[in-house]
Amino acid sequence: MAGLRKSGDVTIKDIAAALGIAHSTVSRALNDHPHINPETKAKVRRAAQELGYAANSGARMMRSGASRLVGLIVPDVQNEFYNAAAKIMADSCAREGYQLVLAVSEDDPEKELQQVQALREARVAGVLVAATASPRRDTVQMLKQLPTVQFLRRHPGIAGHTVRADDVLGIYKATEHLLGLGHRRIGYVGVTEQLSTGRARADGYRLAYGDARLKVNAGLMRLGAPRPEFGHEALVELCGLPTPPTAIVVASPRLMLGVLEGVNALRLSVPEDLSLVAYSDLDWFQVWQPAITAVALPVADMAATAALLLFRQIQQRGPEGSGSSTPFEPLLNIRGSSASLRVALKPVKSARR
């Protein structure tokens, strides 16, 4: 190999000549063919690296009809849950010889369609997707033609397996916890019920009240976009009621950020004025004082499972028609932001200084 200069134009034939073996053997070794022994594979890969060989992914795509790319479509890259999931999925893809491509829909069906079109044109091997509430018809049709796994959210029009949290149970646990502490006026700040996650989480809140033989006060529920701005607005509205809630369940980490901004703006004391329970347990929840009681989702297990199911579909060389799902059980971590009912919160007019 000493006589061969490194170059971006190094080919499989160059590697074969340097090693004195057939170029077909080099090709199989680079593609991890099972009939090539590990020692030869290691020797070929080492030579390829030393010579500066770069695989021609375009040619490989033409031969196989698919790239070694996997698409991940999420609504929000600022959401810590999706960030953590994307990292785990990327690691899973790398172990299988794939590369993860991140696309962001911003919960906009038109942008989601554009992202799916782009991924399809790139001939991705499969797609992991947290779908918008109302995907375009073309989006649904294109995803039906690809190995697809839905993640966290589920849209009935999109085929394939869904990996999700048991959202009903998670919010049920949060609400039940506050009811057990003596709270009866429990506010709920959640995402729109147009999303599967929004419906399930709101159902968990209602079910906990029903099982406690208590009536839900719809006036204490605020549903909207999973954005901090809405969380802030909802907190101010709830605390401005003639009889405000004494506790609030916040059903999204991005909403929780806005709720806490509102708590600071109104100079409320947690949990003396208001108990809080969050959904999805982020690292910084333990740093905020008092530490925030939160329902933890097993993000690592969920993300790894979603990737594994997608790889199975890819190996089967086609999308999965089943609408089955794998739910993961959330865990309630009790901390200082939730406490027994003491004194009802005064209207926000008195709270403002």
Side-chain angles (χ1 to χ4, degrees):
M1 289 187 290
L4 187 61
R5 185 175 59 189
K6 288 185 181 182
S7 166
D9 295 328
V10 172
T11 68
I12 285 177
K13 289 184 178 180
D14 292 327
I15 299 171
L19 294 175
I21 61 178
H23 72 268
S24 59
T25 301
V26 173
S27 177
R28 290 172 183 164
L30 291 173
N31 285 289
D32 202 25
H33 195 285
H35 291 165
I36 304 298
N37 66 60
E39 293 79 10
T40 300
K41 290 178 182 178
K43 182 170 65 174
V44 168
R45 288 169 182 164
R46 186 166 55 250
Q49 183 176 9
E50 291 175 0
L51 296 171
Y53 171 75
N56 188 337
S57 59
R60 183 170 61 239
M61 235 173 24
M62 291 293 289
R63 291 192 300 271
S64 66
S67 70
R68 302 295 289 181
L69 301 177
V70 166
L72 170 62
I73 306 174
V74 297
D76 184 0
V77 290
Q78 292 181 304
N79 185 307
E80 291 89 340
F81 178 87
Y82 289 124
N83 275 338
K87 173 64 169 64
I88 294 160
M89 290 171 175
D91 290 343
S92 297
C93 286
R95 285 192 295 270
E96 296 292 330
Y98 290 88
Q99 182 177 351
L100 190 72
V101 178
L102 180 64
V104 182
S105 69
E106 297 182 357
D107 267 326
D108 181 338
E110 195 59 40
K111 288 184 179 179
E112 181 182 52
L113 173 60
Q114 293 169 4
Q115 301 289 11
V116 172
Q117 287 174 329
L119 291 172
R120 188 186 180 197
E121 289 170 4
R123 296 187 181 180
V124 293
V127 175
L128 298 155
V129 59
T132 60
S134 303
R136 296 285 185 256
R137 181 180 299 177
D138 288 347
T139 299
V140 172
Q141 286 301 117
M142 282 189 286
L143 289 176
K144 284 181 178 179
Q145 298 167 13
L146 290 168
T148 301
V149 171
Q150 297 192 70
F151 184 67
L152 194 63
R153 300 175 176 180
R154 169 159 182 77
H155 189 279
I158 299 174
H161 201 95
T162 302
V163 174
R164 60 180 178 82
D166 190 336
D167 289 314
V168 174
L169 178 61
I171 294 297
Y172 182 99
K173 286 183 175 182
T175 310
E176 181 186 47
H177 167 65
L178 292 171
L179 290 169
L181 292 174
H183 296 276
R184 294 298 178 265
R185 288 186 61 80
I186 301 171
Y188 177 80
V189 179
V191 299
T192 171
E193 291 190 85
Q194 291 180 311
L195 293 168
S196 62
T197 48
R199 289 192 301 275
R201 293 171 195 178
D203 285 345
Y205 171 79
R206 297 182 185 107
L207 184 60
Y209 263 91
D211 285 354
R213 301 193 177 187
L214 296 170
K215 185 177 180 181
V216 172
N217 184 340
L220 295 179
M221 297 183 72
R222 295 292 184 277
L223 304 176
R227 299 283 185 268
E229 298 78 14
F230 176 72
H232 189 155
E233 174 187 320
L235 184 279
V236 171
E237 285 184 5
L238 288 170
C239 290
L241 294 173
T243 308
T246 60
I248 297 178
V249 174
V250 186
S252 157
R254 297 293 288 164
L255 290 174
M256 190 63 179
L257 178 59
V259 165
L260 293 177
E261 289 172 349
V263 165
N264 288 338
L266 298 179
R267 299 183 183 180
L268 301 177
S269 179
V270 175
E272 289 79 11
D273 294 330
L274 186 68
S275 283
L276 293 174
V277 179
Y279 192 68
S280 191
D281 196 3
L282 307 184
D283 290 341
W284 64 266
F285 283 0
Q286 299 183 54
V287 178
W288 203 81
Q289 290 299 316
I292 298 170
T293 296
V295 177
L297 307 182
V299 58
D301 291 341
M302 292 172 63
T305 299
L308 176 62
L309 290 169
L310 184 65
F311 297 143
R312 286 181 183 174
Q313 283 192 53
I314 292 171
Q315 291 168 3
Q316 293 167 3
R317 298 187 180 276
E320 180 185 278
S322 170
S324 57
S325 67
T326 300
F328 283 79
E329 181 177 350
L331 175 69
L332 178 66
N333 292 325
I334 300 173
R335 304 191 183 103
S337 70
S338 56
S340 298
L341 178 63
R342 297 173 187 175
V343 179
L345 178 65
K346 295 177 182 179
V348 75
K349 290 181 181 179
S350 301
R352 287 177 177 165
R353 301 289 181 187

